[in-house]
Amino acid sequence: HLFERDCSLQRRHQKVIEEAPAPGMDEVTREALCAAAVRAAQAVDYVGAGTIEFIADASEGLRADRIWFMEMNTRLQVEHPVTEEITGVDLVEWQLRVASGEPIPLRQKELSINGWAMEARLYAEDPTKGFLPSIGTLELFQLPDHLGRVDTGVYEGAEVSPFYDPMIAKVIAYGEDREEARAMLSEMLEDSAIWPVKTNSAFLINALAHPDFVAGTVDTGLIGRDGDAMTDEPAPTIESLTNAAMAIVPRSLQAGFRLNAPDVRSAAFLLDGKRVEVELHGPGTDEPAPAMLVAEGGSVWQLTPWRAEGGPGGAAGDGAILSPMPGKVIAVEVAAGDTVTKGQKLLTLEAMKMEHSLTAPFDGVVAELNTTPGAQVQVEALLVRIEKDEA
């Protein structure tokens, strides 16, 4: 039983958004592709669920003579929900039934493609920091499953550890056509709220809005070319900051407003530890909250009262290289006393099945080295300290 999917939107060869059916696929090409997949499975007497992948040169549109076999995975893949959504079948159930010796529930001719489905892989990572994995307790974990399908293995209060793949959920939207599915998936991501673990939700929203994705002319190099614009750090609107601030400001501090005039002024707050000026209005509250979460556009920030001592600690550029997460040091490229240049790789850290290089922030000398290959390190552990070479 065969239906195609498109997984062209990728980052570093990892799929980001998948959809079914494939945009631009005509019936002739679909039939040729399915026939090739059948021949491959028959050649090895394969029985059970499986996924055959092809790579296409679509520079002149999808054509059967410009599509090549790439590999076969003898299993269902992460993106199988989009196929389920447009066919109305449960592929996991079918897989178990066939493996148990039962006949397949429906024949190919009894299946049809209905509508369009898109899936986004929601990762615990921070796109604004080079997609660095984010870990911690999911104190807030809300996904709008009333708008579409959400497949996840975590829950509010669960711990996201550094020992597994960073994908925490699959968000799947269905529509009568591609544009409806795209708009619904974007809405689902915009309505998500996860904190304090960072996610790639805003990045996914930007990717869905990219003109090439909207047009359905996606290729595997899109994020590599235009990814910087998709990873711009999101910011809450003035209105949402004001509303959150007014739940923090005590009524007793709001004296002095003019009669018969709008109650407007501004005050300093901390937004995720960074000082911001927020417009205020109204009389404040009799029961001020110690902090408020601001959820907007798929991102969540924490707003707290400003305190001078509450600013970020440590001077920028002091040369201290701290571990950004718990992980394992798999390579150390320098030794104490070595001269290094800005951007030079110092060591490689492995966490969440990904490797992350830590580099020198400026030209200098390795004044301190506190780790070795194979060492397990905790978040914010001092790994290396670089001093500027004053010579």
Side-chain angles (χ1 to χ4, degrees), residues 332-356:
V332 177
E333 311 289 343
V334 295
D338 283 359
T339 299
V340 295
T341 58
K342 180 179 180 180
Q344 180 178 335
K345 184 189 292 186
L346 304 175
L347 57 87
T348 302
L349 188 67
E350 183 182 61
M352 283 186 161
K353 298 174 66 176
M354 297 177 67
E355 295 182 4
H356 306 275

PDB file of all heavy atoms in Angstrom, residues 332-356:
ATOM      1  N   VAL A 332      38.855  17.217  22.928  1.00  0.00           N
ATOM      2  CA  VAL A 332      39.488  18.445  23.405  1.00  0.00           C
ATOM      3  C   VAL A 332      40.601  18.777  22.426  1.00  0.00           C
ATOM      4  O   VAL A 332      41.508  17.973  22.195  1.00  0.00           O
ATOM      5  CB  VAL A 332      40.056  18.275  24.825  1.00  0.00           C
ATOM      6  CG1 VAL A 332      40.765  19.551  25.264  1.00  0.00           C
ATOM      7  CG2 VAL A 332      38.940  17.926  25.801  1.00  0.00           C
ATOM      8  N   GLU A 333      40.521  19.966  21.823  1.00  0.00           N
ATOM      9  CA  GLU A 333      41.431  20.331  20.736  1.00  0.00           C
ATOM     10  C   GLU A 333      42.622  21.160  21.190  1.00  0.00           C
ATOM     11  O   GLU A 333      43.513  21.437  20.391  1.00  0.00           O
ATOM     12  CB  GLU A 333      40.654  21.116  19.659  1.00  0.00           C
ATOM     13  CG  GLU A 333      39.352  20.477  19.213  1.00  0.00           C
ATOM     14  CD  GLU A 333      39.572  19.222  18.380  1.00  0.00           C
ATOM     15  OE1 GLU A 333      40.700  19.043  17.881  1.00  0.00           O
ATOM     16  OE2 GLU A 333      38.628  18.423  18.261  1.00  0.00           O
ATOM     17  N   VAL A 334      42.651  21.590  22.459  1.00  0.00           N
ATOM     18  CA  VAL A 334      43.710  22.482  22.925  1.00  0.00           C
ATOM     19  C   VAL A 334      44.264  21.975  24.249  1.00  0.00           C
ATOM     20  O   VAL A 334      43.694  21.089  24.883  1.00  0.00           O
ATOM     21  CB  VAL A 334      43.187  23.925  23.104  1.00  0.00           C
ATOM     22  CG1 VAL A 334      42.766  24.529  21.771  1.00  0.00           C
ATOM     23  CG2 VAL A 334      42.021  23.950  24.100  1.00  0.00           C
ATOM     24  N   ALA A 335      45.376  22.564  24.642  1.00  0.00           N
ATOM     25  CA  ALA A 335      45.995  22.267  25.941  1.00  0.00           C
ATOM     26  C   ALA A 335      46.264  23.576  26.655  1.00  0.00           C
ATOM     27  O   ALA A 335      46.328  24.648  26.025  1.00  0.00           O
ATOM     28  CB  ALA A 335      47.298  21.489  25.749  1.00  0.00           C
ATOM     29  N   ALA A 336      46.416  23.506  27.963  1.00  0.00           N
ATOM     30  CA  ALA A 336      46.721  24.713  28.736  1.00  0.00           C
ATOM     31  C   ALA A 336      47.994  25.349  28.200  1.00  0.00           C
ATOM     32  O   ALA A 336      48.989  24.671  27.931  1.00  0.00           O
ATOM     33  CB  ALA A 336      46.866  24.362  30.211  1.00  0.00           C
ATOM     34  N   GLY A 337      47.949  26.669  28.032  1.00  0.00           N
ATOM     35  CA  GLY A 337      49.101  27.393  27.521  1.00  0.00           C
ATOM     36  C   GLY A 337      49.086  27.615  26.026  1.00  0.00           C
ATOM     37  O   GLY A 337      49.884  28.412  25.509  1.00  0.00           O
ATOM     38  N   ASP A 338      48.196  26.930  25.296  1.00  0.00           N
ATOM     39  CA  ASP A 338      48.137  27.090  23.843  1.00  0.00           C
ATOM     40  C   ASP A 338      47.651  28.487  23.465  1.00  0.00           C
ATOM     41  O   ASP A 338      46.809  29.083  24.159  1.00  0.00           O
ATOM     42  CB  ASP A 338      47.164  26.074  23.225  1.00  0.00           C
ATOM     43  CG  ASP A 338      47.757  24.678  23.146  1.00  0.00           C
ATOM     44  OD1 ASP A 338      48.918  24.515  23.560  1.00  0.00           O
ATOM     45  OD2 ASP A 338      47.047  23.772  22.672  1.00  0.00           O
ATOM     46  N   THR A 339      48.175  28.992  22.373  1.00  0.00           N
ATOM     47  CA  THR A 339      47.678  30.235  21.790  1.00  0.00           C
ATOM     48  C   THR A 339      46.548  29.896  20.828  1.00  0.00           C
ATOM     49  O   THR A 339      46.677  28.987  20.005  1.00  0.00           O
ATOM     50  CB  THR A 339      48.795  30.976  21.041  1.00  0.00           C
ATOM     51  OG1 THR A 339      49.842  31.307  21.962  1.00  0.00           O
ATOM     52  CG2 THR A 339      48.260  32.256  20.399  1.00  0.00           C
ATOM     53  N   VAL A 340      45.422  30.611  20.953  1.00  0.00           N
ATOM     54  CA  VAL A 340      44.266  30.333  20.098  1.00  0.00           C
ATOM     55  C   VAL A 340      43.798  31.609  19.431  1.00  0.00           C
ATOM     56  O   VAL A 340      44.109  32.718  19.884  1.00  0.00           O
ATOM     57  CB  VAL A 340      43.100  29.723  20.925  1.00  0.00           C
ATOM     58  CG1 VAL A 340      43.492  28.359  21.492  1.00  0.00           C
ATOM     59  CG2 VAL A 340      42.667  30.655  22.042  1.00  0.00           C
ATOM     60  N   THR A 341      43.058  31.446  18.355  1.00  0.00           N
ATOM     61  CA  THR A 341      42.491  32.585  17.640  1.00  0.00           C
ATOM     62  C   THR A 341      40.978  32.558  17.744  1.00  0.00           C
ATOM     63  O   THR A 341      40.366  31.513  17.986  1.00  0.00           O
ATOM     64  CB  THR A 341      42.891  32.558  16.153  1.00  0.00           C
ATOM     65  OG1 THR A 341      42.451  31.319  15.570  1.00  0.00           O
ATOM     66  CG2 THR A 341      44.397  32.672  15.997  1.00  0.00           C
ATOM     67  N   LYS A 342      40.372  33.720  17.574  1.00  0.00           N
ATOM     68  CA  LYS A 342      38.919  33.834  17.679  1.00  0.00           C
ATOM     69  C   LYS A 342      38.230  32.850  16.732  1.00  0.00           C
ATOM     70  O   LYS A 342      38.581  32.758  15.548  1.00  0.00           O
ATOM     71  CB  LYS A 342      38.477  35.256  17.353  1.00  0.00           C
ATOM     72  CG  LYS A 342      36.971  35.472  17.449  1.00  0.00           C
ATOM     73  CD  LYS A 342      36.600  36.914  17.131  1.00  0.00           C
ATOM     74  CE  LYS A 342      35.086  37.116  17.227  1.00  0.00           C
ATOM     75  NZ  LYS A 342      34.702  38.514  16.929  1.00  0.00           N
ATOM     76  N   GLY A 343      37.271  32.088  17.267  1.00  0.00           N
ATOM     77  CA  GLY A 343      36.536  31.126  16.463  1.00  0.00           C
ATOM     78  C   GLY A 343      37.167  29.750  16.398  1.00  0.00           C
ATOM     79  O   GLY A 343      36.568  28.815  15.862  1.00  0.00           O
ATOM     80  N   GLN A 344      38.381  29.593  16.949  1.00  0.00           N
ATOM     81  CA  GLN A 344      39.046  28.290  16.916  1.00  0.00           C
ATOM     82  C   GLN A 344      38.321  27.302  17.826  1.00  0.00           C
ATOM     83  O   GLN A 344      37.918  27.632  18.940  1.00  0.00           O
ATOM     84  CB  GLN A 344      40.505  28.433  17.360  1.00  0.00           C
ATOM     85  CG  GLN A 344      41.288  27.128  17.358  1.00  0.00           C
ATOM     86  CD  GLN A 344      42.740  27.331  17.769  1.00  0.00           C
ATOM     87  OE1 GLN A 344      43.294  28.428  17.609  1.00  0.00           O
ATOM     88  NE2 GLN A 344      43.363  26.285  18.285  1.00  0.00           N
ATOM     89  N   LYS A 345      38.151  26.079  17.331  1.00  0.00           N
ATOM     90  CA  LYS A 345      37.469  25.061  18.127  1.00  0.00           C
ATOM     91  C   LYS A 345      38.320  24.684  19.333  1.00  0.00           C
ATOM     92  O   LYS A 345      39.514  24.396  19.209  1.00  0.00           O
ATOM     93  CB  LYS A 345      37.192  23.818  17.293  1.00  0.00           C
ATOM     94  CG  LYS A 345      36.396  22.745  18.048  1.00  0.00           C
ATOM     95  CD  LYS A 345      36.304  21.436  17.284  1.00  0.00           C
ATOM     96  CE  LYS A 345      35.454  21.574  16.048  1.00  0.00           C
ATOM     97  NZ  LYS A 345      35.254  20.243  15.383  1.00  0.00           N
ATOM     98  N   LEU A 346      37.692  24.694  20.519  1.00  0.00           N
ATOM     99  CA  LEU A 346      38.375  24.334  21.756  1.00  0.00           C
ATOM    100  C   LEU A 346      38.043  22.899  22.165  1.00  0.00           C
ATOM    101  O   LEU A 346      38.928  22.137  22.543  1.00  0.00           O
ATOM    102  CB  LEU A 346      37.971  25.298  22.876  1.00  0.00           C
ATOM    103  CG  LEU A 346      38.194  26.785  22.594  1.00  0.00           C
ATOM    104  CD1 LEU A 346      37.628  27.626  23.731  1.00  0.00           C
ATOM    105  CD2 LEU A 346      39.667  27.081  22.387  1.00  0.00           C
ATOM    106  N   LEU A 347      36.770  22.552  22.104  1.00  0.00           N
ATOM    107  CA  LEU A 347      36.348  21.198  22.453  1.00  0.00           C
ATOM    108  C   LEU A 347      34.988  20.913  21.853  1.00  0.00           C
ATOM    109  O   LEU A 347      34.301  21.822  21.376  1.00  0.00           O
ATOM    110  CB  LEU A 347      36.331  21.003  23.973  1.00  0.00           C
ATOM    111  CG  LEU A 347      35.474  21.956  24.821  1.00  0.00           C
ATOM    112  CD1 LEU A 347      34.050  21.446  24.943  1.00  0.00           C
ATOM    113  CD2 LEU A 347      36.072  22.100  26.208  1.00  0.00           C
ATOM    114  N   THR A 348      34.607  19.646  21.875  1.00  0.00           N
ATOM    115  CA  THR A 348      33.318  19.230  21.334  1.00  0.00           C
ATOM    116  C   THR A 348      32.528  18.529  22.430  1.00  0.00           C
ATOM    117  O   THR A 348      33.052  17.637  23.106  1.00  0.00           O
ATOM    118  CB  THR A 348      33.495  18.284  20.139  1.00  0.00           C
ATOM    119  OG1 THR A 348      34.273  18.941  19.137  1.00  0.00           O
ATOM    120  CG2 THR A 348      32.141  17.910  19.548  1.00  0.00           C
ATOM    121  N   LEU A 349      31.271  18.962  22.600  1.00  0.00           N
ATOM    122  CA  LEU A 349      30.384  18.422  23.616  1.00  0.00           C
ATOM    123  C   LEU A 349      29.263  17.659  22.927  1.00  0.00           C
ATOM    124  O   LEU A 349      28.735  18.109  21.904  1.00  0.00           O
ATOM    125  CB  LEU A 349      29.806  19.573  24.443  1.00  0.00           C
ATOM    126  CG  LEU A 349      28.995  19.242  25.691  1.00  0.00           C
ATOM    127  CD1 LEU A 349      29.882  18.614  26.748  1.00  0.00           C
ATOM    128  CD2 LEU A 349      28.349  20.504  26.235  1.00  0.00           C
ATOM    129  N   GLU A 350      28.918  16.498  23.463  1.00  0.00           N
ATOM    130  CA  GLU A 350      27.823  15.707  22.904  1.00  0.00           C
ATOM    131  C   GLU A 350      26.658  15.678  23.883  1.00  0.00           C
ATOM    132  O   GLU A 350      26.835  15.366  25.061  1.00  0.00           O
ATOM    133  CB  GLU A 350      28.278  14.280  22.621  1.00  0.00           C
ATOM    134  CG  GLU A 350      27.194  13.415  21.974  1.00  0.00           C
ATOM    135  CD  GLU A 350      27.654  11.987  21.754  1.00  0.00           C
ATOM    136  OE1 GLU A 350      27.988  11.312  22.756  1.00  0.00           O
ATOM    137  OE2 GLU A 350      27.688  11.560  20.590  1.00  0.00           O
ATOM    138  N   ALA A 351      25.471  16.031  23.387  1.00  0.00           N
ATOM    139  CA  ALA A 351      24.251  15.987  24.195  1.00  0.00           C
ATOM    140  C   ALA A 351      23.071  15.840  23.263  1.00  0.00           C
ATOM    141  O   ALA A 351      23.077  16.377  22.157  1.00  0.00           O
ATOM    142  CB  ALA A 351      24.112  17.241  25.041  1.00  0.00           C
ATOM    143  N   MET A 352      22.056  15.111  23.692  1.00  0.00           N
ATOM    144  CA  MET A 352      20.841  14.895  22.898  1.00  0.00           C
ATOM    145  C   MET A 352      21.165  14.375  21.492  1.00  0.00           C
ATOM    146  O   MET A 352      20.590  14.818  20.498  1.00  0.00           O
ATOM    147  CB  MET A 352      20.014  16.168  22.813  1.00  0.00           C
ATOM    148  CG  MET A 352      19.237  16.471  24.077  1.00  0.00           C
ATOM    149  SD  MET A 352      18.142  17.881  23.850  1.00  0.00           S
ATOM    150  CE  MET A 352      16.998  17.629  25.212  1.00  0.00           C
ATOM    151  N   LYS A 353      22.138  13.460  21.410  1.00  0.00           N
ATOM    152  CA  LYS A 353      22.513  12.818  20.159  1.00  0.00           C
ATOM    153  C   LYS A 353      23.057  13.803  19.133  1.00  0.00           C
ATOM    154  O   LYS A 353      23.060  13.534  17.933  1.00  0.00           O
ATOM    155  CB  LYS A 353      21.312  12.062  19.572  1.00  0.00           C
ATOM    156  CG  LYS A 353      20.806  10.938  20.461  1.00  0.00           C
ATOM    157  CD  LYS A 353      19.538  10.308  19.918  1.00  0.00           C
ATOM    158  CE  LYS A 353      19.769   9.605  18.614  1.00  0.00           C
ATOM    159  NZ  LYS A 353      18.549   8.917  18.126  1.00  0.00           N
ATOM    160  N   MET A 354      23.532  14.963  19.599  1.00  0.00           N
ATOM    161  CA  MET A 354      24.098  15.957  18.702  1.00  0.00           C
ATOM    162  C   MET A 354      25.428  16.429  19.247  1.00  0.00           C
ATOM    163  O   MET A 354      25.666  16.412  20.451  1.00  0.00           O
ATOM    164  CB  MET A 354      23.142  17.150  18.542  1.00  0.00           C
ATOM    165  CG  MET A 354      21.814  16.799  17.907  1.00  0.00           C
ATOM    166  SD  MET A 354      20.699  18.220  17.816  1.00  0.00           S
ATOM    167  CE  MET A 354      21.588  19.244  16.643  1.00  0.00           C
ATOM    168  N   GLU A 355      26.313  16.847  18.334  1.00  0.00           N
ATOM    169  CA  GLU A 355      27.618  17.367  18.729  1.00  0.00           C
ATOM    170  C   GLU A 355      27.618  18.887  18.638  1.00  0.00           C
ATOM    171  O   GLU A 355      27.063  19.464  17.698  1.00  0.00           O
ATOM    172  CB  GLU A 355      28.714  16.794  17.830  1.00  0.00           C
ATOM    173  CG  GLU A 355      28.887  15.292  17.976  1.00  0.00           C
ATOM    174  CD  GLU A 355      30.009  14.746  17.120  1.00  0.00           C
ATOM    175  OE1 GLU A 355      30.703  15.567  16.470  1.00  0.00           O
ATOM    176  OE2 GLU A 355      30.199  13.521  17.083  1.00  0.00           O
ATOM    177  N   HIS A 356      28.265  19.526  19.623  1.00  0.00           N
ATOM    178  CA  HIS A 356      28.306  20.988  19.681  1.00  0.00           C
ATOM    179  C   HIS A 356      29.726  21.435  19.940  1.00  0.00           C
ATOM    180  O   HIS A 356      30.356  21.012  20.917  1.00  0.00           O
ATOM    181  CB  HIS A 356      27.373  21.499  20.787  1.00  0.00           C
ATOM    182  CG  HIS A 356      25.984  20.981  20.667  1.00  0.00           C
ATOM    183  ND1 HIS A 356      25.040  21.569  19.868  1.00  0.00           N
ATOM    184  CD2 HIS A 356      25.385  19.897  21.217  1.00  0.00           C
ATOM    185  CE1 HIS A 356      23.926  20.880  19.936  1.00  0.00           C
ATOM    186  NE2 HIS A 356      24.111  19.864  20.747  1.00  0.00           N
TER     187      HIS A 356
END
